[in-house]
Amino acid sequence: MAEALQNPVAISDSGEAVLAREAVHSERRAHSATEAESVYEVERTAKLISDGGYKRVALQFPDELLADSTLVSDQLRQRVSAQIFVLADTSYGSCCVDEVAALHYDADLVVHYGRTCLSLTSRLPVVYVFCCEPVDSEHVAECAKREDLGESRLLLVADVPYVHALDAIADRLRPCVAEMVVSRVSAQDGVYVPGADTEGVKLGRTWELDHPVGDYTLLYIGDESPTLTNLLVTKRFGAAYSYSPSQRTLRAESGKANRHLSRRYYMVQRARDANIVGIVVGTLAAARYLRVVEALKQLLRQAERKFYVFVVGKLNVAKLANFAEIEAYVLVACPENSLVDSKEFFQPVVTPYEMLLALSRSREWSGDYITDFHSFLEESELDQDFGGDDDEPHFSLVTGKLQKTRRYVAQQDEPSGGDVTVRCKTEIAQYMGSAAAEHLLARSFRGLGHDDDSHEVEPMLAVDGLSGIASKYSHETGESKCGEKK
């Protein structure tokens, strides 16, 4: 016998959870003009604004640094003649440059503060201020020496707040390893202008290796972050270590990539079984995002899958749960926001490259992984084998059964000679290839006046409804209080 529910099911929400929710804590990192200069590089930023002749400058702060926005903006206004305004509550991830919000105010330059994914912008020039954080280079070297890296070829990479310490760490480790390669952030010093040469840039960084990447050991300086995850899944390093400056610890990361790739492979299998796909636009700033959306549309058409395009801003479970007919989502976002852990989502959320793997008939999973737009576009142009036999089922590794793919193809047998064909609602949905309409017709409740097919609902004129607020509508007279009669 099924157990009784222990607690009542909430039909409506009182809103107490919203009132009790804690806001993102924002601490002041600069309490004076001197501290603002050292943390936020005010003098360098002002020089770049003046030298470039920019007139309207947007300062983009993440939530955790917003408390210092007034001090930084005041310091910049004292140094430059340009109009300065602050952007907060970004449309998508705070790591991306919010070009959309900046263009609403006709900005001609964006200054981005804090952690960033270093994604290429498509319309506005950008100045990056990484807000440097301290790191003990001697302690990093001591921890690395304990791991016996003497025969290793070492690639040194850092999260953006710690790139300032790379040279000092490299100087201490260079005598202890066979080869030392230090990565450089491509947009660290000057103004990044859209359309600049980005050849050889990987995750916003550049490095030159004389041997295959599998011969190198990665040493990553920074706390656990999407940047580290991207490096582990996209590059097959011989070994990988990460040093956390906040915890002052060094740990091996070699097994993390395999576990993460195993979870992503499961998502690919679920996407392969999906007949209806939602393309979620998770960025409006990263260069080439429109080309990626169009490429996804093309390969879904070739695979005869139904797709819908959504622009939902910041991704969360509640937004995607509104579309029950969607069986899988593909997220078009920057590399750091595209790898979504979709355990809480009702449907899998995959990357464009994972959708390419799911739909391709000739491509097999090899362990190689792509998160940047440029590489995905190149791969999608090379692979054009997405079709299939309508009657040929495929074996689903998720269900363990043979599964037939539902093909969504527009009908070509149009009535000729101006004839009018009478069709019922179900036939119209199938004729138009509308997955949403088919899903609606399959539901037991389709809305007031539409759930009973036994008779047609007569058209009615619209009438004025109630106006005012719930405690007192405009047609009500007299004072009323809680618990009192009018």
Side-chain angles (χ1 to χ4, degrees):
M1 181 181 295
E3 296 183 359
L5 293 176
Q6 300 298 321
N7 296 308
V9 178
I11 303 300
S12 61
D13 191 352
S14 64
E16 293 181 359
V18 176
L19 297 176
R21 186 184 303 160
E22 295 183 2
V24 176
H25 187 53
S26 179
E27 292 184 356
R28 295 189 67 94
R29 296 184 57 186
H31 298 273
S32 64
T34 303
E35 292 180 352
E37 167 57 33
S38 61
V39 175
Y40 294 100
E41 304 179 46
V42 175
E43 197 63 41
R44 180 180 76 90
T45 306
K47 185 177 186 303
L48 291 173
I49 294 173
S50 299
D51 293 347
Y54 299 106
K55 302 300 182 183
R56 294 178 60 83
V57 180
L59 310 182
Q60 180 180 337
F61 289 84
D63 293 341
E64 61 270 17
L65 299 179
L66 200 56
D68 290 335
S69 60
T70 54
L71 176 60
V72 175
S73 59
D74 289 342
Q75 293 297 315
L76 284 174
R77 289 189 183 98
Q78 295 174 13
R79 291 171 169 82
V80 298
S81 59
Q83 288 183 292
I84 305 292
F85 51 92
V86 177
L87 300 179
D89 189 23
T90 54
S91 304
Y92 298 96
S94 59
C95 64
C96 297
V97 178
D98 197 350
E99 287 186 295
V100 175
L103 288 171
H104 286 168
Y105 293 91
D106 295 327
D108 53 9
L109 176 70
V110 179
V111 182
H112 185 284
Y113 293 94
R115 284 203 72 259
T116 174
C117 57
L118 297 170
S119 296
L120 307 177
T121 56
S122 57
R123 287 162 285 193
L124 290 177
V126 184
V127 172
Y128 288 104
V129 178
F130 298 145
C131 303
C132 302
E133 297 182 11
V135 55
D136 189 345
S137 56
E138 290 188 5
H139 189 260
V140 176
E142 292 175 3
C143 293
K145 291 175 183 177
R146 296 194 203 109
E147 297 295 333
D148 191 18
L149 303 177
E151 301 298 325
S152 301
R153 295 185 174 96
L154 199 64
L155 173 61
L156 194 58
V157 182
D159 200 1
V160 289
Y162 308 105
V163 294
H164 64 94
L166 282 180
D167 289 332
I169 297 172
D171 290 341
R172 287 173 169 81
L173 286 176
R174 190 169 280 109
C176 308
V177 296
E179 181 185 349
M180 170 65 69
V181 179
V182 182
S183 66
R184 300 297 177 189
V185 174
S186 55
Q188 182 175 357
D189 300 323
V191 178
Y192 168 76
V193 179
D197 183 18
T198 57
E199 184 178 357
V201 177
K202 299 168 281 288
L203 297 177
R205 296 163 173 83
T206 58
W207 58 71
E208 294 183 3
L209 304 181
D210 297 329
H211 302 274
V213 67
D215 295 343
Y216 288 84
T217 296
L218 171 69
L219 178 55
Y220 178 83
I221 310 300
D223 297 319
E224 187 171 357
S225 66
T227 302
L228 175 59
T229 303
N230 269 278
L231 284 169
L232 294 177
V233 300
T234 58
K235 307 297 178 185
R236 294 185 178 184
F237 295 105
Y241 297 88
S242 68
Y243 177 85
S244 171
S246 60
Q247 300 179 2
R248 294 172 61 84
T249 57
L250 181 73
R251 69 176 184 179
E253 299 284 356
S254 302
K256 181 179 178 181
N258 296 331
R259 292 192 299 271
H260 190 85
L261 286 174
S262 297
R263 291 197 297 269
R264 303 310 303 183
Y265 180 69
Y266 171 71
M267 293 299 171
V268 170
Q269 298 306 315
R270 290 191 63 186
R272 179 169 294 167
D273 295 344
N275 299 319
I276 308 170
V277 178
I279 302 175
V280 181
V281 181
T283 179
L284 297 179
R288 304 188 184 98
Y289 82 93
L290 282 177
R291 291 180 57 191
V292 172
V293 172
E294 291 302 320
L296 286 171
K297 289 181 180 180
Q298 182 63 24
L299 68 89
L300 287 167
R301 289 192 190 100
Q302 294 178 4
E304 299 178 352
R305 307 295 173 91
K306 189 67 177 179
F307 64 87
Y308 297 91
V309 180
F310 302 95
V311 181
V312 297
K314 292 181 180 178
L315 201 66
N316 60 44
V317 177
K319 290 178 180 178
L320 298 190
N322 288 318
F323 310 101
E325 65 272 22
I326 304 299
E327 299 173 357
Y329 290 94
V330 52
L331 177 61
V332 180
C334 72
E336 294 203 356
N337 286 327
S338 61
L339 295 176
V340 176
D341 187 1
S342 53
K343 292 180 180 178
E344 298 180 355
F345 290 87
F346 295 100
Q347 302 296 352
V349 182
V350 300
T351 66
Y353 180 68
E354 290 170 345
M355 183 57 67
L356 178 67
L357 290 174
L359 297 180
S360 176
R361 300 177 60 199
S362 58
R363 187 185 297 266
E364 295 183 357
W365 179 271
S366 62
D368 294 331
Y369 205 84
I370 291 173
T371 56
D372 64 286
F373 290 166
H374 179 71
S375 299
F376 165 76
L377 291 171
E378 290 182 343
E379 292 291 328
S380 63
E381 291 175 357
L382 293 175
D383 194 344
Q384 299 295 326
D385 189 10
F386 301 110
D389 186 355
D390 292 352
D391 298 327
E392 180 182 355
H394 70 276
F395 182 78
S396 171
L397 295 180
V398 177
T399 62
K401 301 177 182 178
L402 288 175
Q403 181 168 321
K404 187 176 181 180
T405 302
R406 166 74 160 89
R407 303 290 178 179
Y408 287 91
V409 184
Q411 299 290 337
Q412 302 297 327
D413 53 341
E414 297 289 342
S416 59
D419 296 333
V420 177
T421 303
V422 179
R423 300 176 184 269
C424 67
K425 294 179 181 178
T426 304
E427 289 178 335
I428 292 175
Q430 294 176 350
Y431 180 79
M432 297 299 293
S434 174
E438 291 179 2
H439 179 79
L440 179 63
L441 291 172
R443 295 178 57 179
S444 59
F445 178 74
R446 300 191 292 273
L448 296 175
H450 297 278
D451 54 340
D452 185 6
D453 293 331
S454 60
H455 65 279
E456 292 292 334
V457 179
E458 294 293 333
M460 295 178 292
L461 294 175
V463 297
D464 292 336
L466 299 178
S467 61
I469 59 177
S471 62
K472 182 181 179 182
Y473 291 106
S474 57
H475 70 280
E476 297 177 336
T477 59
E479 297 289 336
S480 65
K481 296 181 180 179
C482 182
E484 297 182 1
K485 295 182 179 180
K486 297 179 183 178

